[in-house]
Every structure is written in structure tokens, then in C-alpha cells.
Amino acid sequence: MLFAKLNDLSIGGKGAYGIAASAVERKADLPTYLRITDIFDDGTLNLSELKSVDAPNSDKYILKPNDIVFARTGGSTGRNYFYDGSDGVFVYAGFLIKFSIDPEKVNPKYVKYYCRSKQYNDWVQSFNTGSTRGNINAQTFGNMEIPLPERKQQDYLVSILEPIDEKIKNNKQVNDNLADLLQTIYQERFVNDILAVNQGVLSDICSYSRDKVAVSELNIRTYFSTENMLSGKAGSTEATSLPTTSQTIACHKGDTLISNIRPYFKKIVYCEDKCGCSTDVLCFTPSQPRYSAYLFSTLYADKFFAFMVAGSKGTKMPRGDKQQIMTYPVVLPSEEELAGFNTIASPLLEQIYSNRAENKRLSILRDTLLPKLMSGEIDVSAVQL
């Protein structure tokens, strides 16, 4: 198989660094600012935390379709995002390096998928020394060699994998809408009810899990730490490793997990099965199973995270105060109100879980097919494209 350097596949023959500017609150009349922290490890975006940029020369750094940007420093080195124009208008930040892929030389989306492959990740890892994550500059990225199968193979790879990614993206969008709907219903029924008589605090409806689970009973899909929980209420990814201790905190179906480090990142997960979490994660267990959806909706609210941040301790690495958190004021719904809410909330949570489970299966399928399609193990000689 032939190989080509990223520079040789790019318009202009080299990468370009982004703009050095500060982020500002997102505004409709300002361009959106794309930073390292806005890009997930799987190449998708955290759309809930986007900011804008207000700089006189920002128009020189606007992404165009077939551009790909790479994180060049820190713990996110090598993280990348392929821009196809569907996510809006972006100005890319200074810690990102942009390459404009030439469609005459390669299928640009083939480069996108190569940068999701094990080969690419191994290349990035080769710059690490011990616990230190190596920085990769524009020249080094430009000299990265990419295996280049025939164009027909490239096109076939994209035609197979792109619909899978589209389905995953659509499922995520549906889940975001369902979560917003659930929060709207919760707010209308309980938070906005200023005449509510039964007022209480969070400890009236839940407690912190004190159960333990053997680490040997967990896997990368059932273990949660602050590292694999996603900011902006975006759920979680698979853990990269399990703890070295023999036991950790046990969580159960219906519990809600919240990262207790830097609570302003708003990392929250609804437990859909038995699992475990690290000591840096708070596992809220409802006092009764019927409170599960109500508890999750209470903790999902921005108002709760603001309360948690206000009571957090520390400056560089603030943590929520467990005692203060349990004083968060809540409405104590009647049995009738709770039953009515669960009639709506439970099917929504079940659909969110179903969509996430489908996305996990699709991700496994995509990641299984990728190396086979790249290497030519799946023969396309007789395929009509």
C-alpha cells in the first residue's frame, strides 16, 4: 500500500495555527470559537459548551469544508475534528492546527476516518514519555504518513462508515431533545410551582451510596470516573482503565452520578444498570425507586449545579461540599404528582437508554469495520460505487 504525508494531501502543503484570542459568551452576531475543550475524543463536538470569539481578524481563521483540526498540546494532544460545514461557522483557536484536505488527492473523509484508527492513535502515543503527554507541532503533524489505498477503496470506506456516524449523531440529537423535554416538564410541574406546600431538601429524597462492588465485576463500560464522564451533561464514554483497588463505590439502576471535581463542568450520568464509580464521583441513591426520575431531573437542572458550585471548596481543583449539597431545597411531590410525572418521565429515560445502547453497538460495528476497510481486507473490486 502507498503512503502519503498529510502535508502532501493538503492544500498549501502545510498546517496553520489558530487564532490566539480569548473566548467570550456565545452571541448570535459573533462567530463560534472552536477550542480543544469543545472536541470529544471521538471527534464529535460538545455543542452545549460552545463560546464565541470577538477579534478583529477572526475571519482569517474560519473553517471551511474538508478542513481537519488537531489538538497540539496537553492531555488532549492528537484529538481532532473534521469539519464538513454541518455544525455551523467556526473560528479555530490557537492550540489547534488546521490542515485543508485536497479532494483531488484523497477523499477528505478518508483522512477523517484514518484519524479515528488505532494506527493513528498509536502514532500519537509514540510521542508520550511516561506520564508526560507529548506535544505535536504543525511540522510533525504534516509529516505524518497516512496509508493510501486506491480511491475506490477510500470512497467505499466512507460510504459504509458515514451512515453509521450519521445515525449515531441523530440518536445523540434525539437524546438531547428528550433530556430537554424531561427538564421542561420537571420545571413546569415542580420548580415553577411557587405555591408548593411540601418543601424539603435533597436529603429527604436521596442519600450517597455506601455500597461497595468488586472491581473484578466491572468493565470499561460500567465504571465511571470524572475522566470518562463528559462535560455539559453529555453523558459518558468508556473508561480507559479500571481502578487498582479491589473495591469501589457500587451504583444501581436508577442512581444518578455527578462528578464532584470542578462541578461547573456539569458532568452527570443516569445509571441504567449496575455499575461502579470512583470516589471523585457522587452516587446519589433515591430513597425509593419511584424517586429515580425525579431525582435525576432535580440534579440535571442548571440551578442545582449553580448551588453545588457556590458551595464547592478549593480554587485550582474545586470539589462540591457533600453536606452542603444535601441541603439543596426541593419540592416534595405528593404520591399522585410523582406517579403522574413518572408516567411521562420513565418512557423518556427508557428511550434515551435505548438510543445510547444502539449507539454503543454502532460504534463497535464502525470500529470493527474501519481497519478491515483501510487494509483492503474487505474487497471492493466488484462493488459498484
Side-chain angles (χ1 to χ4, degrees), residues 175 177-187 189-190 253 270 272 289-298 337-354:
N175 277 0
N177 292 336
L178 292 175
D180 289 342
L181 175 60
L182 178 59
Q183 187 61 200
T184 298
I185 295 170
Y186 167 80
Q187 295 282 339
R189 294 195 175 205
F190 304 110
K253 179 178 175 61
Y270 180 75
E272 294 144 336
R290 62 179 180 273
Y291 277 114
S292 291
Y294 181 76
L295 173 62
F296 172 73
S297 300
T298 299
E337 289 172 326
L338 192 60
F341 177 70
N342 285 338
T343 299
I344 300 172
S346 296
L348 292 180
L349 288 172
E350 288 174 5
Q351 186 60 54
I352 290 173
Y353 169 71
S354 177

Side-chain angles (χ1 to χ4, degrees), residues 72-78 121-136:
R72 63 182 176 90
T73 188
S76 303
T77 301
N121 290 327
D122 288 346
W123 180 81
V124 171
Q125 290 295 323
S126 69
F127 293 91
N128 297 341
T129 303
S131 60
T132 302
R133 192 73 178 260
N135 296 339
I136 306 178

Side-chain angles (χ1 to χ4, degrees), residues 171-350:
N171 281 345
K172 287 181 178 179
Q173 290 174 340
V174 168
N175 277 0
D176 288 343
N177 292 336
L178 292 175
D180 289 342
L181 175 60
L182 178 59
Q183 187 61 200
T184 298
I185 295 170
Y186 167 80
Q187 295 282 339
E188 289 178 349
R189 294 195 175 205
F190 304 110
V191 177
N192 297 333
D193 185 5
I194 59 175
L195 299 178
V197 176
N198 297 323
Q199 297 286 342
V201 293
L202 190 59
S203 60
D204 292 326
I205 63 172
C206 70
S207 61
Y208 297 117
S209 174
R210 296 181 178 178
D211 295 340
K212 297 293 183 180
V213 61
V215 172
S216 60
E217 297 180 16
L218 302 174
N219 57 55
I220 58 175
R221 292 180 295 278
T222 59
Y223 176 69
F224 298 91
S225 70
T226 190
E227 284 79 17
N228 70 308
M229 295 174 69
L230 302 176
S231 60
K233 307 176 185 177
S236 65
T237 60
E238 293 183 348
T240 56
S241 62
L242 296 178
T244 55
T245 56
S246 60
Q247 291 184 323
T248 192
I249 299 171
C251 315
H252 308 280
K253 179 178 175 61
D255 290 353
T256 295
L257 306 181
I258 290 183
S259 172
N260 199 35
I261 297 179
R262 295 175 176 169
Y264 48 79
F265 281 134
K266 301 178 183 178
K267 297 182 178 183
I268 181 170
V269 168
Y270 180 75
C271 295
E272 294 144 336
D273 209 338
K274 291 181 61 177
C275 55
C277 68
S278 74
T279 55
D280 290 329
V281 174
L282 301 178
C283 178
F284 296 85
T285 299
S287 56
Q288 298 291 335
R290 62 179 180 273
Y291 277 114
S292 291
Y294 181 76
L295 173 62
F296 172 73
S297 300
T298 299
L299 301 178
Y300 191 90
D302 288 336
K303 185 178 179 180
F304 169 76
F305 280 102
F307 181 86
M308 188 175 175
V309 169
S312 61
K313 298 178 179 179
T315 52
K316 183 177 180 181
M317 192 85 68
R319 294 172 181 263
D321 183 320
K322 295 176 69 174
Q323 289 185 333
Q324 179 260 359
I325 288 170
M326 283 298 177
T327 67
Y328 180 70
V330 299
V331 173
L332 301 178
S334 66
E335 291 296 326
E336 183 179 356
E337 289 172 326
L338 192 60
F341 177 70
N342 285 338
T343 299
I344 300 172
S346 296
L348 292 180
L349 288 172
E350 288 174 5

Side-chain angles (χ1 to χ4, degrees), residues 57-221:
N57 59 339
S58 61
D59 58 326
K60 297 179 181 179
Y61 299 89
I62 293 176
L63 293 179
K64 299 177 181 179
N66 298 330
D67 285 350
I68 186 168
V69 292
F70 297 89
R72 63 182 176 90
T73 188
S76 303
T77 301
R79 190 181 293 177
N80 57 85
Y81 166 69
F82 180 87
Y83 180 73
D84 63 6
S86 64
D87 289 326
V89 179
F90 290 109
V91 168
Y92 65 105
F95 288 109
L96 295 172
I97 303 170
K98 180 205 72 174
F99 289 84
S100 299
I101 308 303
D102 188 341
E104 297 296 321
K105 297 179 179 178
V106 65
N107 185 318
K109 291 180 179 178
Y110 169 79
V111 176
K112 163 192 170 180
Y113 284 112
Y114 171 74
C115 294
R116 302 283 177 273
S117 70
K118 183 178 184 300
Q119 287 175 262
Y120 170 77
N121 290 327
D122 288 346
W123 180 81
V124 171
Q125 290 295 323
S126 69
F127 293 91
N128 297 341
T129 303
S131 60
T132 302
R133 192 73 178 260
N135 296 339
I136 306 178
N137 60 27
Q139 182 179 2
T140 303
F141 269 117
N143 287 326
M144 176 178 65
E145 292 193 332
I146 298 175
L148 214 59
E150 293 182 1
R151 185 61 179 252
K152 185 176 182 179
Q153 186 78 31
Q154 298 173 30
D155 295 344
Y156 184 67
L157 179 151
V158 171
S159 73
I160 295 297
L161 300 185
E162 190 170 33
I164 297 176
D165 274 338
E166 282 299 313
K167 177 59 176 173
I168 292 174
K169 183 177 181 179
N170 290 340
N171 281 345
K172 287 181 178 179
Q173 290 174 340
V174 168
N175 277 0
D176 288 343
N177 292 336
L178 292 175
D180 289 342
L181 175 60
L182 178 59
Q183 187 61 200
T184 298
I185 295 170
Y186 167 80
Q187 295 282 339
E188 289 178 349
R189 294 195 175 205
F190 304 110
V191 177
N192 297 333
D193 185 5
I194 59 175
L195 299 178
V197 176
N198 297 323
Q199 297 286 342
V201 293
L202 190 59
S203 60
D204 292 326
I205 63 172
C206 70
S207 61
Y208 297 117
S209 174
R210 296 181 178 178
D211 295 340
K212 297 293 183 180
V213 61
V215 172
S216 60
E217 297 180 16
L218 302 174
N219 57 55
I220 58 175
R221 292 180 295 278

